Amino acid sequence: MTPQRTPKLDRAQVVDTALNLLNEAGLDGLTLRAIATRLDVKAPALYWHFKDKQALLDEMATEMMRRMTGRAGEGPPAGDWRESYLRTMRTLRTELLRYRDGAKVYSGARFTDTSYAAGLDASLRVLVEAGFTPTAATRAWQTAYSFTIGYVIEEQAMGPNPFDGAEGYDVDARAERLAAHPLAAESGRVMFQDFDEGFEQGLAAILAGVEATLLG
């Protein structure tokens, strides 16, 4: 049966409601039924706009990208490629952290329009103009991009949750369980605390590696 169109419902409204619900309930609590309830419609009405949950997640990730692009402007300004490279990934992390489970939603998404293209083109152009080949520029960008998304997935899973006030991973309890393995025990204090410092140190290591192995 063809889903009935609901006159008061549009695609943007569904996505905005889904993003708000994501922050309240997390990805596990984000269901089409819950979104429909929030919009005061029947769940089948959503299928007029999205064929399944993955299609909705793709549009949510695209809207996150649109908002990020709007806040960041047209692209990295001219200047040192290293500064631009770091700024781009810091901006991505900041934007993903605006949403509960934001990195999980963003990871693997297939964007539904080309709103990402201008920013990506600008970032790659900065690298090419600094002496990277187009292929090396792409690898350099992809490496930091993948690190950033993966880092934030772990950060949002293991760190304090600002959306519901839950505390992060109990590193003291972990250290007690791993007392027979002292290096592994203490590693938790590095991996699961001070995520800002961890991100910056990881990003700096990637920058050094990219410069050493991919730049001209």
Side-chain angles (χ1 to χ4, degrees), residues 67-76 119:
R67 295 178 184 183
M68 176 169 59
T69 300
R71 280 187 280 264
E74 295 183 356

Side-chain angles (χ1 to χ4, degrees), residues 12-40:
Q13 186 180 7
V14 175
V15 172
D16 189 60
T17 299
L19 287 170
N20 289 334
L21 185 59
L22 177 70
N23 285 348
E24 295 175 21
L27 188 55
D28 290 342
L30 183 70
T31 65
L32 294 177
R33 183 180 297 277
I35 296 168
T37 298
R38 183 64 57 87
L39 289 167
D40 194 25

Side-chain angles (χ1 to χ4, degrees), residues 62-80:
T62 304
E63 178 59 20
M64 291 164 63
M65 167 61 76
R66 294 187 195 108
R67 295 178 184 183
M68 176 169 59
T69 300
R71 280 187 280 264
E74 295 183 356
D80 183 76

Side-chain angles (χ1 to χ4, degrees), residues 133-185:
T133 67
T135 296
T138 301
R139 292 298 185 202
W141 183 90
Q142 181 188 29
T143 299
Y145 178 82
S146 299
F147 164 74
T148 301
I149 293 177
Y151 188 92
V152 177
I153 288 176
E154 285 295 303
E155 180 178 4
Q156 292 186 313
M158 306 305 289
N161 188 330
F163 296 96
D164 64 9
E167 296 182 359
Y169 193 24
D170 188 337
V171 295
D172 291 329
R174 177 184 182 275
E176 289 181 9
R177 290 195 303 272
L178 299 179
H181 310 281
L183 289 177

Side-chain angles (χ1 to χ4, degrees), residues 1 124 205:
M1 183 175 67
L124 294 174

